[in-house]
């Protein structure tokens, strides 16, 4: 790290680059969950629609957490561009399967930043990211628990069975 950039921030430049990308990934997750909420609403899955609305807000919260961390530590955070949001889904199971895939991708991305922060002796970022490590554990567990309910539904997935699952979707508020 050059002396000049060390004067502006204690954060490592390579780690900062990944944190900027993570801002984008969290914004993409927020927009994706909003699309899922709308899909669920249009197909009569009201609890799932509320679940994804809550999670869209949570993802925006994650994005802002990183955004503020960068700005508070002498780095100018960029407002992310959000593109390529999937609007259509094959069914309710598909929505939750895509959610798990998405959360696993986020976990991998967070772990990669932690690994780099450790390698570059960026202890501030490593410490900051511990919250995200915990959060991802929780989020993956939550979606896996929801997907487990689909194991009791046969191939045809009657609307009655799907509505029963929808009624059991956990909401925070
Ligand atoms: Fe913030 Fe669930 O990724």
């Amino acid at each position: 790290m050059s002396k000049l950039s060390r004067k502006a921030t204690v954060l490592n430049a390579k780690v900062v680059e990944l944190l900027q990308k993570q801002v984008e990934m969290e914004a993409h997750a927020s927009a994706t969950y909003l699309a899922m909420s709308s899909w669920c609403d249009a197909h009569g899955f009201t609890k799932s629609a509320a679940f994804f609305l809550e999670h869209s807000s949570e993802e925006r919260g994650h994005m802002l957490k990183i955004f503020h961390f960068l700005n508070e530590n002498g780095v100018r955070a960029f407002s992310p561009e959000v593109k390529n949001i999937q609007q259509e889904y094959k069914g309710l199971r598909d929505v939750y399967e895509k959610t798990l895939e998405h959360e696993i991708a986020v976990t991998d991305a967070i772990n990669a930043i932690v690994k780099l922060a450790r390698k570059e002796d960026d202890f501030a970022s490593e410490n900051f990211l511990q919250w995200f490590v915990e959060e991802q554990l929780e989020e993956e567990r939550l979606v896996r628990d929801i997907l487990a309910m689909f194991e009791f539904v046969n191939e045809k997935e009657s609307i009655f069975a799907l509505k029963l699952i929808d009624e059991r979707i956990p909401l925070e508020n």
Side-chain angles (χ1 to χ4, degrees):
M1 187 188 286
S2 74
K3 282 204 174 116
L4 200 63
S5 68
R6 179 66 180 87
K7 273 185 188 164
T9 181
V10 69
L11 308 180
N12 174 271
K14 287 186 254 177
V15 174
V16 164
E17 207 175 304
L18 290 192
L19 286 170
Q20 298 272 25
K21 281 193 186 140
Q22 198 58 36
V23 167
E24 206 169 287
M25 197 172 196
E26 303 291 345
H28 191 272
S30 177
T32 298
Y33 290 165
L34 204 58
M36 287 174 168
S37 175
S38 190
W39 185 94
C40 291
D41 198 28
H43 290 80
F45 300 117
T46 49
K47 289 281 285 293
S48 293
F51 174 87
F52 284 109
L53 206 56
E54 277 184 359
H55 283 265
S56 175
S57 297
E58 268 190 32
E59 297 301 346
R60 181 175 158 76
H62 297 172
M63 177 198 79
L64 289 175
K65 210 172 170 74
I66 304 170
F67 190 87
H68 291 314
F69 176 72
L70 291 171
N71 276 335
E72 281 163 5
N73 289 292
V75 176
R76 187 175 151 200
F78 297 125
S79 177
E81 275 192 46
V82 181
K83 287 183 279 193
N84 301 324
I85 302 302
Q86 183 174 345
Q87 308 284 347
E88 298 302 330
Y89 298 90
K90 284 185 265 174
L92 192 63
R93 185 196 293 251
D94 184 41
V95 171
Y96 284 105
E97 280 174 348
K98 292 279 181 333
T99 303
L100 182 59
E101 279 171 25
H102 204 90
E103 290 300 336
I104 290 171
V106 172
T107 302
D108 289 348
I110 295 289
N111 289 346
I113 315 176
V114 173
K115 205 169 165 185
L116 183 67
R118 208 170 270 175
K119 181 170 164 266
E120 298 294 333
D121 291 344
D122 184 344
F123 305 117
S125 294
E126 187 185 345
N127 188 48
F128 166 73
L129 286 163
Q130 289 313 306
W131 183 90
F132 284 86
V133 172
E134 282 290 320
E135 179 71 8
Q136 281 313 117
L137 264 184
E138 243 179 66
E139 300 223 317
E140 279 197 31
R141 192 184 312 127
L142 175 65
V143 186
R144 279 200 186 87
D145 286 349
I146 292 172
L147 277 171
M149 291 194 275
F150 286 88
E151 298 307 315
F152 300 101
V153 176
N154 66 20
E155 289 283 294
K156 289 197 176 147
E157 296 191 347
S158 73
I159 189 68
F160 178 70
L162 293 175
K163 290 267 189 191
L164 278 182
I165 290 176
D166 186 56
E167 275 172 25
R168 284 166 176 73
I169 298 300
L171 296 181
E172 286 183 5
N173 295 303

